Amino acid sequence: MSFLAFAFANPLVLAALVALPAIWWLLRLTPPKPVTEVFPPLAILAGVLKREETPSKSPWWLTLLRMLMAAAIILAIADPVFNPRTRTLSADGPLALMVDNGWATAEDWERRRQTADALIDEAEARDLPVSLVLTADRQQDATLGTATAARARLAAARPQPLIPDRTRAVDVLRTGLNGTRPGTLAFLSDGIATGEDSVMRDLAGLAPASLRLIEGDGGEAVALTGAVNEADAMRVSASRLDATLPRALAVTAYDARGRAIANGTIAFGPGEKVASGLLPAPFELRNDFARIGIDGLSTAGSTYLLDDGFRRRRVALLSGEARDQSQPLLSPLYYINRALAPFADLIQPNEADLAVAIPQLLEQKPSMLIMADIGRLPEETYPAVTQWLQNGGTLIRFAGPRLAAAPADDPLVPVRLRQGERALGGALSWSEPQPLADYPPASPFAGMPRPEGITVNRQVLAEPTADLSERTWASLADGTPLVTTRTLGAGRIVLFHVSGEATWSNLPISGDFVEMLRRTVQLSRSGGVEGGAGAGASAPLPPYRLMNADGVLTAETAGARPLELGPGAVPPASPDHPPGLYGSEEGFTAVNLMAKDATLNAINRTDLSMAYESERLIGAEALSLRPALFTLAMLLLLLDTLVVLFMAGAFSRLRAGRAAATVLIALIGLSALAPDTVRADDSRPGDEAILDKLDNTHLAYVVTGESEVDRISERGLVGLTEFLTYRTTLEPGAPVGLDLTKDELSFYSIIYWPISASAPMPSPAAINRIDAYMRAGGTVLFDTRDQMSALGGGGASPNTERLQAILADLDIPALEPVPTDNVLTKSFYLLTSFPGRYAGSPLWIEAQPQASAEEPSRPARSGDGVTPIMITGNDFAGAWAVDGNGAPLLPTVPPDEIQREYAYRAGVNIMMYMLTGNYKADQVHIPALLERLGQ
């Protein structure tokens, strides 16, 4: 039981209080001040004037004031003290001292040492042996010895940046006593529970004659237990021991040089032991955080170290398609974006042209670049991406139709890929969807359980090589790689052999996908250690900088062992791995004192087999009132002096100062006339032409520079425009010829490009603009006008060779002739072929999933968007071209007006498909709707 004691250090001085009545009598009988007569003849005048009178004795309240002043001086000399140390050691056995020297004792360690030293002095005075054990020391010894030896050990002891191991300390103390019953067992505790919290019962089990619990300022202990770099701020969590009153803590983030760069607050409500607060700062500034500390506290628990794993990565996203607005769930980047958003800052380009977008993204210094279904990059971007990789960047690629059709010698893939893709029910296919196999031990996914229910329907295949297994992070049950990797300089290339959306596999809609991306992102440390959370097996990390009990990093690393990182989070501190940084200057991993989301609790004092005494440390329980009493006496003396001066009339002779106040009010009337409303003219040259293109649908063609080819293209689109106006509700405007190097392409849903081998080869800038146009959702209709029978076949015509040269620099998906069940055959007219001036060439479009993957009753098969490319050799424009009177300019081959009619119908179907997409495919729902309406 604790109690409040009171005593006087010099009690004999209190005898002076008996003199107070004498002082009272003397003050009351003080004679009045004598009256002096200046000139006796003026006695008459003196009688007329008011005579100044002097009281015969002092007022009672003034006497009481002086009595209080005298009493305060006497009591101050007597030195009253609250809670003086009066306890003495038991003489029934040796003194056993168990002293906490963990992280929470750093603030009051000197008082703890003084308290323990006072107990050792008393034991020495009584000639008692002493057993001393320090709970946080790695080497513990509690052998009974002399007080001198215990005092020397205590002087050398220091607080440690660790959590005390009291269970081990009690065992050491029991061994040191060797069966001897202690007379006094004093436990200098920090007040914080550890482990199973049975220390008080364990100490009572030693059967001491007297058990004393001496506590310091542990009730004020606060520890930081976690930090999460969120989207807009760093969230820091903390736990406190005493949750009685509300408390607000100021926290500060420091950079590697110790400079404060951000501030925040953690607010605890009444009864709250755990709380969190935000450190708002820009993304770049948060990545410079090296440690977080609580203002006013200097302990290992109030300091939280950050390493590269806490930095929020900047991830750049690129996609081969633009479906985010119309069909976001089918966008290659939708699930990637959702998976990375909680722990990465995502950036996307403002330009669809990769030749412009990639340099812009790399200028923002991302840690990672993700490319979803991009098969071919502009040629001029490869050096920049390669240099970025060699400097430490990480490139993650996801498969898709474009990557499946990309060249096999792509330098930005980790393994050599087979041409085409493996699909369920197709060539190189399996009979049923494949599940995932266990992750290899060297994979960063090691430690994750093998996902259940995740299957793969399509994938791109890797060519077998001797090192393929070493480059594989994840594979399917049949052994084919699912995730492969390759290092390039200081960087890394990672390839997911499935698409980033759920058409090829249901992996992107699983929780394992999020964890796989998170672990991969953690590897994108710029020059960091490939260890940390989730990394696979790696070499042990030597101690680089260790933190002392005051929360300061030092170069003293003696006694610490190398840190071995395995799957999962970084372990909390231990005697073998004290808190600090492990690794090297190039990269390190932070080990913090507290486990994530730990809670501070008070020591359990219930269910003890014996009573114990509770007391405070030296300097905390003994409170002397001497300074306060002396201060009170001085204040009373000053008050008495003022009263005496007032009674003597000293203040009445002072002249009253004149109070003069001069108030100057300056009113300046400014009447400003309201200006006339002026509207800014923000129009620019060429806006009229742009508005003219936007007010209606226009067919467009590429100007090749050959007058005859361009004339046929223009007249062909005029003919198709007139046919659309006559046969459909669409009334397009006049056709537009386009210069690929400078005209805006996004105004047109489809661009007709007649290929001519004799025309100048388009510049790389023009090809990049066409690639960006197709990537943004536009479609280019290439017409070689040579009735080719197969794309890239032997004996190709010059126009086909020119087309191959153009397509070599474009990122295009795999192609196929229009299937009979494609929406293009049903978008307006029912067609089986797409003739032009010639009728022998098929119309090539983006390859779509096999019909077996869809419902057999579906009337039309389509993809989830319009094809970005069409290729024909049937010379559409030659069949559509008309003169000023509407007569055909060129005959069909063979001459057949029915073929021309079908050529126009093919043009109508293409335009309706471009403007409406695959809405015809939704006719599959019509029978069910009609049946429901009939009910």
Side-chain angles (χ1 to χ4, degrees), residues 510-523:
S510 68
D512 294 81
F513 185 70
V514 178
E515 181 64 13
M516 292 169 75
L517 283 182
R518 187 189 71 81
R519 295 192 178 199
T520 307
V521 169
Q522 292 297 342
L523 293 181

Side-chain angles (χ1 to χ4, degrees), residues 806-817:
I806 294 174
L807 296 183
D809 295 326
L810 291 177
D811 184 20
I812 60 174
L815 304 178
E816 67 176 355

Side-chain angles (χ1 to χ4, degrees), residues 26-287:
L26 290 175
L27 293 175
R28 292 284 295 174
L29 296 182
T30 299
K33 181 181 178 180
V35 178
T36 303
E37 297 290 343
V38 179
F39 189 55
L42 298 179
I44 299 176
L45 293 177
V48 174
L49 297 175
K50 183 177 180 180
R51 182 175 302 172
E52 182 178 356
E53 297 179 353
T54 302
S56 61
K57 57 185 178 181
S58 62
W60 67 269
W61 50 268
L62 182 59
T63 302
L64 179 61
L65 178 67
R66 293 172 177 174
M67 292 288 291
L68 292 176
M69 180 173 57
I73 294 175
I74 294 173
L75 292 175
I77 296 175
D79 191 11
V81 180
F82 282 105
N83 282 340
R85 182 174 295 276
T86 59
R87 298 179 178 89
T88 58
L89 298 181
S90 173
D92 295 339
L95 169 65
L97 272 175
M98 190 168 81
V99 182
D100 276 344
N101 63 329
W103 67 272
T105 64
E107 292 286 316
D108 56 0
W109 175 250
E110 184 59 28
R111 288 171 49 211
R112 289 177 182 275
R113 189 196 61 77
Q114 293 175 4
T115 303
D117 196 56
L119 293 173
I120 294 174
D121 289 344
E122 189 175 351
E124 186 177 30
R126 291 174 172 264
D127 197 20
L128 297 174
V130 179
S131 176
L132 172 65
V133 63
L134 300 163
T135 59
D137 280 2
R138 295 186 62 185
Q139 302 296 332
Q140 296 180 349
D141 182 13
T143 304
L144 279 172
T146 64
T148 302
R151 188 181 296 109
R153 287 185 57 202
L154 181 64
R158 293 291 182 272
Q160 303 296 322
L162 297 170
I163 297 175
D165 188 354
R166 298 187 182 119
T167 301
R168 178 167 169 261
V170 172
D171 293 338
V172 172
L173 187 61
R174 182 181 293 109
T175 303
L177 292 173
N178 194 21
T180 304
R181 182 191 181 197
T184 300
L185 197 163
F187 176 29
L188 276 71
S189 168
D190 59 16
I192 304 174
T194 61
E196 298 180 357
D197 192 20
S198 60
V199 60
M200 293 300 292
R201 292 194 300 271
D202 295 341
L203 291 176
L206 297 178
S210 173
L211 178 60
R212 295 165 65 172
L213 177 64
I214 304 175
E215 294 182 291
D217 299 333
E220 301 297 318
V222 181
L224 297 179
T225 59
V228 180
N229 201 350
E230 297 182 346
D232 300 321
M234 177 78 76
R235 180 173 295 276
V236 183
S237 57
S239 178
R240 61 173 178 167
L241 184 60
D242 185 5
T244 306
L245 301 176
R247 186 179 182 184
L249 299 175
V251 292
T252 302
Y254 302 88
D255 64 7
R257 297 185 178 181
R259 298 173 297 188
I261 55 178
N263 301 97
T265 302
I266 300 177
F268 292 90
E272 288 185 349
K273 296 183 71 68
V274 177
S276 62
L278 297 178
L279 285 167
F283 161 77
E284 294 81 2
L285 199 60
R286 277 183 281 127
N287 277 356

Side-chain angles (χ1 to χ4, degrees), residues 21 127 197 228 380 397 615 673 684 691 705 780 788 840 842 933:
D127 197 20
D197 192 20
V228 180
E380 60 270 26
R397 303 189 68 172
E615 55 186 288
L673 297 177
R684 292 178 295 179
L691 293 176
V780 179
M788 66 177 181
L933 291 174

Side-chain angles (χ1 to χ4, degrees), residues 78 138 209 376 388 544 563 633 664 722 847 855:
R138 295 186 62 185
R376 187 191 303 271
W388 172 77
Y544 170 57
L563 181 67
L664 300 178
E722 294 177 354
E855 301 178 36

Side-chain angles (χ1 to χ4, degrees), residues 191 197 200 213 215 602-608 612 614 616:
D197 192 20
M200 293 300 292
L213 177 64
E215 294 182 291
I603 291 178
N604 183 14
R605 310 183 189 187
T606 60
D607 302 330
L608 296 183
Y612 70 95
S614 179
R616 308 294 291 178

Side-chain angles (χ1 to χ4, degrees), residues 176-514:
L177 292 173
N178 194 21
T180 304
R181 182 191 181 197
T184 300
L185 197 163
F187 176 29
L188 276 71
S189 168
D190 59 16
I192 304 174
T194 61
E196 298 180 357
D197 192 20
S198 60
V199 60
M200 293 300 292
R201 292 194 300 271
D202 295 341
L203 291 176
L206 297 178
S210 173
L211 178 60
R212 295 165 65 172
L213 177 64
I214 304 175
E215 294 182 291
D217 299 333
E220 301 297 318
V222 181
L224 297 179
T225 59
V228 180
N229 201 350
E230 297 182 346
D232 300 321
M234 177 78 76
R235 180 173 295 276
V236 183
S237 57
S239 178
R240 61 173 178 167
L241 184 60
D242 185 5
T244 306
L245 301 176
R247 186 179 182 184
L249 299 175
V251 292
T252 302
Y254 302 88
D255 64 7
R257 297 185 178 181
R259 298 173 297 188
I261 55 178
N263 301 97
T265 302
I266 300 177
F268 292 90
E272 288 185 349
K273 296 183 71 68
V274 177
S276 62
L278 297 178
L279 285 167
F283 161 77
E284 294 81 2
L285 199 60
R286 277 183 281 127
N287 277 356
D288 289 336
F289 289 1
R291 63 182 175 92
I292 300 173
I294 301 177
D295 295 355
L297 295 179
S298 299
T299 67
S302 64
T303 303
Y304 201 86
L305 300 177
L306 304 175
D307 56 18
D308 194 61
F310 289 90
R311 294 181 181 178
R312 194 172 178 87
R313 271 62 167 179
R314 171 167 287 168
V315 178
L317 304 178
L318 285 173
S319 172
E321 296 187 37
R323 295 177 180 171
D324 296 346
Q325 295 181 355
S326 59
Q327 295 171 315
L329 295 180
L330 298 173
S331 167
L333 293 178
Y334 179 79
Y335 299 103
I336 299 173
N337 197 315
R338 297 290 296 270
L340 292 176
F343 52 86
D345 283 271
L346 308 179
I347 56 176
Q348 298 191 42
N350 297 323
E351 296 285 341
D353 187 352
L354 294 183
V356 178
I358 290 179
Q360 289 180 350
L361 292 176
L362 296 183
E363 286 178 359
Q364 301 182 54
K365 298 180 179 180
S367 300
M368 178 177 289
L369 175 63
I370 295 181
M371 298 194 305
D373 190 21
I374 294 180
R376 187 191 303 271
L377 297 178
E379 193 66 30
E380 60 270 26
T381 64
Y382 279 95
V385 175
T386 302
Q387 184 63 42
W388 172 77
L389 281 169
Q390 291 177 344
N391 290 340
T394 299
L395 172 64
I396 297 183
R397 303 189 68 172
F398 285 86
R402 287 172 173 79
L403 185 61
D409 57 349
D410 190 340
L412 297 182
V413 293
V415 293
R416 187 176 180 87
L417 300 177
R418 291 184 180 180
Q419 291 297 295
E421 64 194 46
R422 187 165 87 163
L424 184 64
L428 298 175
S429 69
W430 46 71
S431 59
E432 60 183 12
Q434 288 290 301
L436 272 65
D438 293 330
Y439 299 113
S443 168
F445 311 144
M448 293 175 54
R450 182 168 58 89
E452 300 292 338
I454 295 180
T455 56
V456 175
N457 301 322
R458 304 171 68 185
Q459 68 172 156
V460 291
L461 288 174
E463 291 284 357
T465 57
D467 60 347
L468 182 59
S469 59
E470 299 176 0
R471 297 186 180 186
T472 300
W473 281 357
S475 60
L476 302 183
D478 63 355
T480 56
L482 177 67
V483 182
T484 54
T485 184
R486 176 172 66 94
T487 58
L488 182 61
R492 181 187 300 276
I493 302 174
V494 180
L495 172 63
F496 283 74
H497 290 241
V498 294
S499 63
E501 31 80 31
T503 57
W504 286 29
S505 171
N506 59 354
L507 175 65
I509 59 177
S510 68
D512 294 81
F513 185 70
V514 178

